[in-house]
Structures are given as C-alpha cells and as structure tokens.
C-alpha cells in the first residue's frame, strides 16, 4: 500500500471523460484518505493491445491499466505482456467484491485481470430520423437494401466475431451476413462510438450503446437485436506498467468500491447485476420479443473469434465504405 | 608543477594540430550518418527479416517473405493505383488553379491582386489535417454543412449529397484546392518575370491574343509549369494527412497511410517488417520521381527565359470580367481557409456534433474551449509542443548552417557526401524516414519521449535549411573570412563571428520555416505517438478520432488562430527589420 501511495498516479489506456476522472479521483481520496492522479489516454482496447505487446517486447514501459476483451487478453498473455495475480489473496480482504470480479469466464485467463464491465452490442439509432418501431430488430433486417448507406459499422471487425459463441452461427454464416451488409455500403468508422449516428449522418450504428451521450441530450437511443452480442471487458494491469504497485490496487478498487462512481457517469455496467442499466433495458425489451444474449462459454472459440475479427477488419478495409 | 604545465602544452599542441575543418566536416557527416543512414539501413534489414512484432536487427536469417507477401496481395496494387490517381489528380487540380491564379495576378489588371500573396501565406496557417477535418464537417454526404445548405437552397428532396468528401474525387478536390495557394507561390514568378519582348514581337507580327498565348506564352511557361507539376507529384506521393483524415473512411487507402496503419493496427499486431517493406516501395517511388524532377529541371533550365531583370509584363485589361476573376481567385482562399475554419468553429461550439440548423443553435456554448484550456493532457502537450518547436528549428538550422558552410567554403574530400546526406530526407517520404527512426530507436529511452519527434523534425526539415543557407552563403564574398583567417581566427570562430551574423536573415528565415512546419506537422508526432510525447497535433488527432469532434474542432481552431497570428506578426516584423527578407 505504501509503495502504491508513493507512486501516486495511474495511467489508464481507456477513454474516460474528464468528469469520470475527476469523480474517481474524489472517490479515491474519500476511500483511501490520500490522493491519486488519474490520466486517461483514449486508446481503443485493440490499439492498446498492439502497442502494449510491441512496447513490452522492446522493453519499454507502458500505461498501467487497459480493458481488453477476452480475445485481446489472450493475446497479451501469449505475448507475456501481463502477469497473473492472486487477486483474492491480495485484495479480497479490503474489497470483498474482488472474488466475484476475479471470475473472468475462463480458467485460462484467471488471475490476469478482473471483470470490469460488459459491452452489449446494440443498434443505436438517431431519434430524429427513426422511431423505435422503425428500427430493425434483427441482423437480417439490417441487410434490407432500404438501409443502404444508412448504417455505420465498426471497421475493426467488431462485433460479428462474437457471433461465433452462438450455436446458431458459424464462420460461413457470419461471413455471409457481413458480405450482405457490405452490399448496403455501410459507413465504416474505425470505432464503435456513435458520432455518425449522433450527427444524423446515418440512421443506425452497430456498436455499444453510448448512454453517456444520451444523458447529454444526444438524439440517439438503442435497441437490442435478436442476437445481442456480449463482450466482457477485463480490467488488466500491464506487466511493464509505469506504476506497478498502484495499478493492481487501482484495478481492484475500480471494479469494486470505485465501480458505482464509474458506472454512474460512464453508464456502463455488468449484465450479471440486475440493477444495471443494461439488465433493466434488456428486461424491458425482452418483454415484447425474443432476444438471445450470446455469452462466451467455450475458451477454444475465444482465439477463433479474435482471428475472425481481424479477418473481417481486413475485409472492411478492402471493401471500403460508402463514406 | 612543471609536469602539469608541460602536459597542458602537449595537449594544446595536440589539439592545435587537429584541423577544425576536419572536425566540422566529418563530425557533421557522422551526425547525419547516424540520424539518416543508420535508420534507413535498419529499415532495409527489417524488411528482409522474418515477420515478427519487432524484428531484431541482428541475426543471419534473411528472407524475402515480406516482399512476397506484399506483391502477392492484390491490395498492394490497389494502393499503388490509388496513390497514383490521388497524386496526379490532386496535382492537376492544384496546378490548374495555381496557373489561373498566377496568370490573373501576374498578367492581368485583377483588382486587389496585391492581397493574393498575403492570402497565400495565410493559407499556410491551415495544416492539412485541419483543412481535411473542416471539409469533413462541410462535405459529409448527409449532414455536411454545405450539403445541408445546397439542398435547402435548391429545394432538393434528396437526403444526401450533392457533395461527398468521402470519395477519391472528393479527396482529390479538397487536396487540390488546398495546394493551389502554395503552387501559386511557386508559379507566380514565371508569369511575373517573363520577358514581355517576345510577346510584343508576336503581337507586332500580327498575332492575336490567343495566337500569342498559344505560340509564345504557353511554350515559354511550359518548362517552368512542368517543373512545378513534377515537384508536386513527388510531394503528393509522400503526403499523409489528407489520405489519413479522409481516405481511410472513404475506403481509398494510399501507400503512406498503409505504412502508418501497419504501425498502429486496430485489427492485429504491429507488423514492422511489412511496414518497412511498404516503406521501401514508397522510398523507391520517391527516388524515381525525384530523378524525374531533377531531369525535368535540367531540361527546363535550357529553355529559361526568366531572368533576374525586373520586367514589367503587359497586363491584360479584363474589363468587366476582372470582378468575376477576383471572386474566383479570392474564392479559392475562401474554400481553402474560410469555409473549413467556419465549419470547425461551428463544430467547436456544440456539445455533440449536429448539422447546421436553428434547433442546433440552442446547443451552442464555449464549453469545449473551457474544457480544452482546462485539460491537463492538452496543457502537457502544449509544453511538449513548445519544446519541439523551440529545439527542432534551432538544431535543424544549426546543422543546416554547418552543412551549408562546409559545402560552400571547405575544400575537403567527402564534402559533397555531406550535401547528399543532408538532402536525402527530401527524396524520402516523411512517413518512411519516420518509420526508419522508429524501428531504430524503439529499444532506446528516446522512444516514447518528445526527443524522437525533435530528431525527426531536425532531420526531416534539414534540406530546406541547407538550400536556403547555401544560397545565402554563396552570395557572401570570401574577403571577410580571409581577413579573419589572416588574423589567426580558427574556422569555428570565423563561422560563429563572421559567417553567422552575415547570414542571419536567412538563418532566421529558415528557423521560422522549420518552426511553422514543425508545429503543423502530423506525420512524425502520430507515428511516434505515446502518451508521454503528445504534442498539439497528436491531441487534435486523438480528440477527432476518439471521437470528440467538438473538442477536436476547438483545439484545431485555436491552432489555426495561433498560426495566423504567427504569420501576421512575422510578416510585420520582417518588413520592419529585414525589409521583407524574412517571410
């Protein structure tokens, strides 16, 4: 603890708003009685993973904490860029919630990080352009030519790779869906955040729902499609972290005592928590129609889904977009 | 005691035997070899090593796998095709506009023509990425501000277009218009200093205006225009900012962007081997095009009709058409500077981006500017920027002065090599030079610090300084140096006390040029980007791609306002102290 206190700062390679950073710093001061400085470096999990692996191999320091998906965490482990810890033994006494958070779905990933929050891929739509009734509710409906040029899809290949975790989909059917969507000439931003849909450049964006934007008054809302794809993010301290003592302590804190503060501003939660906004919204929408949440259960599929994501990302690069 | 004194004398005598000229020439050559040749050699080696995240440069296993992979991939040919179309298309648009502007300013009675030069310089204040961002806000198919206005004015029922910046044509037009101002600066002297006697002779011989234009003016101007055209093709193959900002979303990747994206992948691991291979292709194309440029320049000089004499060309009276011509010429600057800047100002005033509408006015506030000023990361990036734009110009121009001095004043074996080394960054695209430095320094403490950007800019901008200072030094007679030498001054003292003060205006000119290019460059900062070495350019890119377009726009606007103020102050200062020598 003293070593962590002496370090006094933590650099997260996650995109957090200033409001989030300030609120977390205040909450930390309240919880620990000493201050920390949090620096948020807005990197996507995929870019952060590539950079951490290259920098670690070159013997360079990197940021303190990331939030990789299971597939990206597997890459970090294979590259020896992260270390396993006994989270419960180290921090379970102070933060009882660590025990639950240390369940990161697969034994092979255990110890490398803590379950942070869940991305549920939704169809975000512009409320000035569409009513909820008009929004497609299935992936198949999204391939309707009437949406030509009116959809934005993450050029990095997300989230189609997560369909592999559903018994109803295989690589061939996923690729077929992607190709039919490509015929609709989607806009291909290199991220899932919904700038295009907020501006009204497209009516629908496939990605995580940005509820912080909704809270700011942006004209968007989200619906869960028939197969709602699920991506648990893992708070992971890096092996070559700049602040090796504070980073695991911070990870343990942010997924437990610090989490309510984080969730209240970023509007991100865990599906396992029935009070989370995701769980409540899912319950509301499930009342009228069938929604299957595609969770991850087979570790062998994790590596496959990450490989498929890269392949779909390459496909989007070669296809180009409709702007 | 006697022994100490004797030792000192011996050392002094040993030192005095060293010819300072050797130290200057070979010392500078060593610096250039380490910063230019070694990185390029490392890059060549890495392109020949097996593909790994960071290939070691030691080892004996070499392979052509990266080249096989590259040339077996159809995407490579698409990249080359896109690059060729983009380079030629942008150059053509810029050239047509630049020639027309130069003709109107140099050969007609265009109103307010004295204001065109300052506008061309002011357009320098808009970095390429910022111009591209402005045009994205203006020309997005559905919500672009211009599209909204045009559809509103024409009563169109369509919900997209008529403009679409996210196409190859859109990217070419935006880049071409952005180039017009700088091409005008290159082209205008050909029109203004052309000997009018040849045209007068044609007119006297009964040729009409069109005949004179076709048979005299155009053939006279053609070699000069061709030189500028080829020079800009070289530049356009290297250019990085517009294709990165627009081309990636448009699905029109080009070679320079491919190199960058292989070092910052979103769907895979960093592949330095493949990046180095694409960089080698870019370097090869750059060198071939430079060879073409040098050949064309030599040919053009054979037909040179522009001299140092201050000819006063006959100006054509455009009559009523001078007003539409003025609208055209100043309209180009409006499209280059005013429209994108206004678009970014609009975007910077919104909490989240919305198209131009009365409803959106309710969202207008200065919150993004407050947030930008309040952000610690942006404040830190400002400190890094200050360090960068102070040290890079100083080091670059000092090194350039040494190279220029050695090449114009010192007769020693190897001096020519010094010039060749100094001019290498001119032929090698910035993204290639940057990648070479990155793979060389990634295992050193310099990686990740602002110093890697400082080194990149020092070397990358060296050729301009050398050319400028060589020209200035050639104009200075040798008498003062000879007097200094006769008085017992060492070569370094002569350089410091005699030469530097004499070339001070050129020195300051070069410093300011590197300063302005350093602050607006995105290539090196993005390629070397880590959280610790962020500069303003990195922050703008980061905010834009996060995406936080409103804050990214606010920071872009602040940078442009600063650069415009800088250009204005420099012009005023130059006029006052150097009679306009420094621009």
């Amino acid at each position: 603890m003293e070593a962590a206190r002496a370090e006094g700062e933590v650099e997260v390679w996650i995109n957090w708003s200033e409001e989030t950073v300030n609120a977390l710093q205040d909450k930390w001061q309240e919880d620990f009685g000493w201050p920390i400085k949090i620096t948020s470096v807005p990197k996507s999990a995929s870019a952060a993973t590539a950079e951490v692996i290259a920098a670690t191999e070159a013997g360079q320091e990197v940021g303190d904490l990331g939030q990789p998906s299971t597939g990206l965490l597997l890459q970090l482990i294979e590259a020896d860029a992260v270390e396993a810890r006994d989270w419960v033994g180290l921090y379970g006494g102070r933060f009882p919630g660590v025990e639950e958070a240390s369940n990161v779905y697969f034994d092979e990933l255990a110890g490398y990080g803590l379950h942070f929050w869940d991305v549920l891929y939704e169809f975000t739509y512009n409320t000035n352009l569409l009513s909820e009734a008009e929004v497609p509710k299935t992936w198949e409906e999204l391939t309707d030519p009437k949406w030509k040029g009116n959809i934005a899809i993450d050029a990095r290949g997300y989230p189609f790779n997560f369909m592999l975790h559903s018994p109803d989909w295989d690589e061939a059917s996923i690729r077929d869906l992607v190709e039919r969507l490509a015929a609709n000439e989607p806009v291909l931003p290199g991220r899932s955040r919904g700038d295009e849909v907020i501006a009204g450049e497209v009516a629908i964006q496939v990605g995580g729902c940005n509820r912080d934007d909704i809270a700011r008054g942006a004209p968007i809302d989200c619906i869960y499609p028939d197969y709602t794809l699920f991506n648990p993010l893992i708070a992971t301290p890096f092996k070559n972290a700049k602040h090796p003592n504070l980073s695991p302590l911070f990870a343990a804190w942010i997924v437990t005592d610090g989490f309510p503060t984080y969730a209240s501003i970023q509007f991100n939660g865990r599906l396992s928590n029935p009070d989370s906004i995701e769980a409540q919204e899912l319950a509301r929408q499930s009342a009228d129609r069938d929604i299957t949440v595609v969770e991850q259960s087979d570790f062998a599929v994790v590596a496959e889904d990450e490989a498929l994501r890269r392949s779909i990302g390459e496909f989007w690069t070669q296809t180009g977009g409709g702007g | 005691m006697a022994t100490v004194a004797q030792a000192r004398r011996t050392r002094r005598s040993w030192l005095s035997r060293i010819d300072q000229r050797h130290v200057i020439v070979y010392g500078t050559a060593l610096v250039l070899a380490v910063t230019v040749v070694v990185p390029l050699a490392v890059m060549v080696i890495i392109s020949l090593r097996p593909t790994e995240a960071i290939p070691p440069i030691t080892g004996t296993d070499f392979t052509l796998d990266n080249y096989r992979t590259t040339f077996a991939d159809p995407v490579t040919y698409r990249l080359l095709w896109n690059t060729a179309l983009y380079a030629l298309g942008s150059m053509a648009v810029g050239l047509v506009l630049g020639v027309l502007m130069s003709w109107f300013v140099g050969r007609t009675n265009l109103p307010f023509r004295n204001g065109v030069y300052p506008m061309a310089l002011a357009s320098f204040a808009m970095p390429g990425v910022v111009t591209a961002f402005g045009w994205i806000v203006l020309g997005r198919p559905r919500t672009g501000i211009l599209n909204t206005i045009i559809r509103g004015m024409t009563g169109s029922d369509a919900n997209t277009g008529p403009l679409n910046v996210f196409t190859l044509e859109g990217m070419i037009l935006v880049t071409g218009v952005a180039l017009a101002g700088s091409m005008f600066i290159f082209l205008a002297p050909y029109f203004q200093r052309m000997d009018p006697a040849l045209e007068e002779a044609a007119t006297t011989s009964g040729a009409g205006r069109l005949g004179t234009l076709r048979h005299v003016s155009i053939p006279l101007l053609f070699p000069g225009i061709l030189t500028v055209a080829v020079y800009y093709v070289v530049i356009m193959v290297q250019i990085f900012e517009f294709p990165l900002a627009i081309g990636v979303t448009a699905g029109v990747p080009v070679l320079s962007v491919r190199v960058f994206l292989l070092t910052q992948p979103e769907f895979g691991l960093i592949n330095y081997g493949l990046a180095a291979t694409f960089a080698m292709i870019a370097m090869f194309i750059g060198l071939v095009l430079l060879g073409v440029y040098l050949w064309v320049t030599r040919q053009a000089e054979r037909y040179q009709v522009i001299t140092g004499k201050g000819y006063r060309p006959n100006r054509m009276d455009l009559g009523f058409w001078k007003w539409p011509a003025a609208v055209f010429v100043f309209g180009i600057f409006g499209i280059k500077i005013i429209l994108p800047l206004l678009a970014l100002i609009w975007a910077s005033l919104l909490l989240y981006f919305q198209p131009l509408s009365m409803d959106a006015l309710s969202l207008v506030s200065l919150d993004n500017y407050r947030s930008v000023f309040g952000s610690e990361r942006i404040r830190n990036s400002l400190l890094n920027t200050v360090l960068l734009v102070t040290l890079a110009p100083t080091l670059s121009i000092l090194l350039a002065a040494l190279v220029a001095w050695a090449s114009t004043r010192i007769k020693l074996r190897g001096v020519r090599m010094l010039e060749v080394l100094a001019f290498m960054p001119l032929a090698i695209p910035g993204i290639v030079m940057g990648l070479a430095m990155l793979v060389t320094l990634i295992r050193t403490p310099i990686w990740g610090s602002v110093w890697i950007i400082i080194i990149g800019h020092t070397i990358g901008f060296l050729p301009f300084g050398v050319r400028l200072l060589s020209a200035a030094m050639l104009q200075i007679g040798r008498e003062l140096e000879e007097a200094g030498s006769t008085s017992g001054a060492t070569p370094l003292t002569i350089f410091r006390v005699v030469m530097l003060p004499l070339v001070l205006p050129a020195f300051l000119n070069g410093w300011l040029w590197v300063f302005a290019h350093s602050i607006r460059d995105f290539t090196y900062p993005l390629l070397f980007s880590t959280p610790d070495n962020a500069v303003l350019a990195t922050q703008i890119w980061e905010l834009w791609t996060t995406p936080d377009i409103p804050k990214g726009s606010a920071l872009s606007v602040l940078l442009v306002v600063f650069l415009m103020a800088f250009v204005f102050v420099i012009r005023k200062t130059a006029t006052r102290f150097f009679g306009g020598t420094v621009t």
Side-chain angles (χ1 to χ4, degrees):
Chain A
M1 184 67 83
E2 281 312 306
R5 184 176 181 172
E7 287 173 352
E9 56 184 293
V10 66
E11 182 179 295
V12 296
W13 283 13
I14 307 170
N15 183 21
W16 285 349
S17 67
E18 275 177 50
E19 191 188 358
T20 307
V21 166
N22 292 336
L24 288 174
Q25 286 178 166
D26 291 347
K27 174 72 173 142
W28 180 280
Q29 172 80 48
E30 187 187 316
D31 287 0
F32 290 85
W34 46 274
I36 60 165
K37 183 182 150 201
I38 301 169
T39 303
S40 161
V41 180
K43 286 183 186 292
S44 70
S46 47
T49 300
E51 194 171 327
V52 166
I53 289 174
T56 305
E57 199 174 326
Q60 301 285 359
E61 277 185 346
V62 295
D64 293 309
L65 191 77
Q67 52 173 23
S69 63
T70 50
L72 294 174
L73 179 55
L74 180 61
Q75 280 185 17
L76 288 163
I77 293 169
E78 286 170 353
D80 197 22
V82 287
E83 285 176 322
R85 287 180 174 79
D86 172 13
W87 290 100
V88 177
L90 284 168
Y91 302 108
R94 168 131 198 181
F95 311 115
V98 158
E99 187 168 354
E100 188 188 336
S102 62
N103 174 12
V104 286
Y105 290 84
F106 303 108
D107 290 344
E108 292 84 347
L109 305 180
Y112 291 99
L114 296 166
H115 183 200
F116 191 6
W117 61 281
D118 299 323
V119 184
L120 290 171
Y121 290 93
E122 300 178 53
F123 296 167
T124 301
Y125 62 98
N126 186 300
T127 51
N128 291 334
L129 300 174
L130 297 176
S131 66
E132 185 173 343
E134 291 171 303
V135 183
K137 307 292 186 301
T138 67
W139 290 97
E140 192 57 40
E141 284 176 53
L142 212 55
T143 63
D144 189 321
K146 75 176 178 183
W147 300 116
K148 191 167 186 172
N150 224 344
I151 313 164
I153 295 176
D154 189 338
R156 296 173 301 170
Y158 291 116
F160 303 96
N161 52 318
F162 297 120
M163 286 178 172
L164 268 185
H165 293 276
S166 162
D168 299 339
W169 294 87
D170 59 19
E171 189 173 331
S173 57
I174 295 168
R175 285 188 187 280
D176 175 61
L177 172 71
V178 168
E179 280 166 23
R180 284 186 295 132
L181 282 171
N184 267 350
E185 296 177 6
V187 175
L188 296 166
R191 56 200 138 67
S192 67
R193 202 174 162 83
D195 165 66
E196 282 76 9
V197 74
I198 291 173
E201 189 59 38
V202 294
I204 302 161
Q205 180 141 7
V206 175
C209 185
N210 295 309
R211 293 199 165 78
D212 52 339
D213 287 327
I214 297 174
R216 286 193 299 162
I220 54 168
D221 209 338
C222 310
I223 67 110
Y224 290 102
D226 52 348
Y227 288 91
T228 293
L229 305 167
F230 175 80
N231 179 16
L233 300 182
I234 320 291
T236 307
F238 301 123
K239 186 177 166 186
N240 282 12
K242 287 176 183 167
H243 308 102
N245 297 297
L246 185 52
S247 57
L249 175 65
F250 183 81
W253 175 78
I254 190 74
V255 303
T256 55
D257 293 10
F259 193 77
T261 304
Y262 166 82
S264 68
I265 300 169
Q266 294 282 133
F267 297 95
N268 294 325
R270 298 183 193 120
L271 196 58
S272 54
N273 175 7
D275 295 330
S276 71
I277 194 160
E278 282 82 3
Q280 288 183 353
E281 192 57 25
L282 187 63
R284 183 185 75 79
Q285 294 185 29
S286 298
D288 322 0
R289 56 198 173 87
D290 289 336
I291 297 172
T292 305
V293 175
V294 181
E295 294 210 44
Q296 301 184 10
S297 54
D298 183 354
F299 184 69
V301 180
V302 170
E304 284 173 34
D305 91 48
E306 180 55 25
L308 180 62
R309 180 182 76 81
R310 291 191 209 177
S311 171
I312 294 172
E314 287 283 358
F315 170 78
W316 290 129
T317 305
Q318 290 171 30
T319 307
Chain B
M1 200 65 182
T3 316
V4 173
Q6 196 175 8
R8 275 191 189 145
R9 267 200 305 277
T10 309
R11 197 165 65 227
R12 211 176 293 139
S13 127
W14 176 79
L15 278 170
S16 64
R17 278 206 301 276
I18 297 177
D19 187 340
Q20 281 191 352
R21 294 176 314 157
H22 285 94
V23 176
I24 293 164
V25 171
Y26 298 129
T28 311
L30 184 68
V31 169
L32 291 177
V34 168
T35 50
V36 179
V37 180
V38 171
L40 289 174
V42 171
M43 194 179 71
V44 173
I45 293 169
I46 282 177
S47 77
L48 293 168
R49 300 279 292 151
T51 298
E52 291 168 28
I54 305 172
I57 56 165
T58 54
T60 54
D61 48 334
F62 290 96
T63 171
L64 290 171
D65 278 358
N66 287 319
Y67 290 89
R68 280 194 204 98
T69 307
T70 301
F71 288 108
D73 188 349
V75 173
T76 303
Y77 301 98
R78 194 171 144 229
L79 281 173
L80 293 172
W81 179 241
N82 285 345
T83 307
L85 285 179
Y86 172 64
L88 290 169
S90 309
M91 181 279 293
V93 171
L95 192 69
V96 168
L97 297 176
V99 164
L100 285 171
M101 287 165 72
S102 303
W103 183 70
F104 281 128
V105 171
R107 308 304 304 270
T108 73
N109 62 337
L110 184 86
F112 314 116
R113 58 183 174 274
N114 289 338
V116 176
Y117 268 109
M119 288 297 282
L121 286 172
S123 69
F124 188 77
M126 285 288 281
V129 168
V130 174
T131 304
F133 286 165
W135 269 98
I136 290 171
V137 175
L138 287 165
R140 279 176 164 186
R142 189 184 296 264
T143 54
I145 293 174
L146 273 185
N147 280 326
T148 316
I149 292 172
I150 293 169
R151 287 201 301 267
M153 286 172 70
T154 56
S156 167
D157 290 335
N159 54 15
T160 63
L163 307 175
N164 184 357
V165 74
F166 291 124
T167 57
L168 176 62
E169 297 80 7
M171 192 164 80
I172 285 174
L173 274 175
V174 169
T175 314
V177 172
L179 289 180
S182 65
M183 284 180 114
F184 161 77
I185 290 173
F186 276 91
L187 289 164
Y190 291 104
F191 287 80
Q192 287 173 334
R193 300 213 305 261
M194 200 171 72
D195 186 350
L198 298 163
E199 287 173 324
E200 283 164 9
T203 311
T204 313
S205 309
R209 274 185 181 175
L210 271 179
T212 307
L213 185 72
R214 202 172 132 201
H215 297 294
V216 179
S217 309
I218 290 177
L220 284 175
L221 291 166
F222 183 73
I225 294 173
L226 184 65
T227 311
V228 174
V230 177
Y231 176 73
Y232 269 86
V233 172
V234 178
I235 300 288
M236 295 317 297
V237 167
Q238 301 184 10
I239 205 164
F240 168 70
E241 282 104 333
F242 288 98
L244 183 65
I246 298 174
V248 175
T249 307
V252 192
V254 298
L255 207 50
S256 55
V257 170
R258 178 72 171 165
V259 174
F260 174 72
L261 292 180
L262 282 166
T263 67
Q264 319 257 323
E266 281 287 359
F267 41 85
L269 297 179
I270 293 173
N271 193 329
Y272 287 115
L274 214 50
T277 307
F278 277 105
M280 292 296 293
I281 297 171
M283 188 165 75
F284 176 75
I285 293 172
L287 288 170
V288 168
L289 286 172
L290 190 74
V292 173
Y293 170 70
L294 293 174
W295 182 80
V296 169
T297 310
R298 268 201 306 276
Q299 299 301 311
E301 281 167 0
R302 288 168 54 193
Y303 301 98
Q304 195 170 45
V305 290
I306 298 160
T307 69
K309 292 181 189 172
Y311 289 122
R312 282 190 172 275
N314 298 326
R315 291 191 182 277
M316 184 189 287
D317 183 0
L318 293 174
F320 165 77
W321 292 102
K322 68 184 178 185
W323 298 109
V327 170
F328 167 77
V329 170
F330 288 98
I332 290 171
F333 294 114
I335 293 171
K336 160 73 170 109
I337 310 170
I338 313 286
L339 281 181
L341 190 58
L342 286 176
L344 289 174
I345 290 171
W346 167 253
S348 72
L349 296 173
L350 302 171
L351 197 55
Y352 44 84
F353 181 73
Q354 289 289 282
L356 197 61
S357 69
M358 292 307 285
D359 288 346
L361 281 175
S362 63
L363 297 172
V364 166
S365 78
L366 291 173
D367 283 356
N368 294 312
Y369 289 92
R370 282 190 207 101
S371 178
V372 161
F373 285 117
S375 162
E376 191 181 347
R377 289 206 73 214
I378 291 175
R379 283 201 302 272
N380 289 342
S381 75
L382 197 60
L383 289 177
N384 279 339
T385 307
V386 169
L387 200 62
L388 172 68
V389 300
T390 311
L391 289 177
T394 307
L395 294 173
S396 189
I397 293 302
L398 273 176
L399 196 56
L402 284 172
V403 173
W405 186 54
S407 61
T408 56
R409 289 298 198 266
I410 297 177
K411 289 192 174 72
L412 270 180
R413 281 167 72 93
V415 166
R416 288 293 299 168
M417 185 49 68
L418 207 58
E419 272 188 286
V420 171
L421 285 172
F423 276 105
M424 276 174 81
L426 191 69
I428 298 165
I431 192 81
V432 176
M433 203 64 227
L435 180 74
M437 289 182 181
L438 181 70
V439 292
T440 307
L441 297 172
I442 191 163
R443 291 176 193 274
T444 70
I446 294 171
W447 179 85
S449 73
V450 74
W451 283 100
I452 190 168
I453 311 176
I454 292 171
I455 294 171
H457 282 180
T458 300
I459 300 304
F461 298 134
L462 186 64
F464 174 81
V466 174
R467 196 161 51 186
L468 190 76
L469 288 164
S470 293
M473 287 179 187
L474 280 171
Q475 289 172 351
I476 295 168
R478 293 173 183 271
E479 302 82 5
L480 289 170
E481 287 167 86
E482 283 163 6
S485 185
T486 312
S487 313
T490 63
L492 264 180
T493 309
I494 293 170
F495 174 72
R496 189 169 48 83
V497 177
V498 179
M499 191 54 93
L500 274 184
L502 287 172
V503 295
L504 191 62
F507 192 90
L508 285 178
N509 202 353
W511 193 95
L512 292 168
W513 188 92
V514 178
F515 172 93
H517 278 76
S518 184
I519 200 169
R520 69 201 287 280
D521 174 57
F522 279 70
T523 307
Y524 288 94
L526 289 186
L527 196 61
F528 298 150
S529 164
T530 68
D532 295 331
N533 67 10
V535 292
L536 280 178
T538 330
Q539 286 297 305
I540 289 173
W541 180 255
E542 191 174 278
L543 286 168
W544 188 270
T545 52
T546 299
D548 192 340
I549 290 175
K551 283 200 195 79
S553 300
L555 194 55
S556 301
V557 169
L558 292 173
L559 177 65
V560 172
V561 168
F562 170 77
L563 280 169
M564 281 186 169
F566 172 78
V567 170
F568 178 77
V569 169
I570 289 307
R571 274 189 62 80
K572 285 280 175 203
T573 314
T575 310
R576 190 171 166 195
F577 291 104
F578 298 102
T581 314
V582 180
T583 53

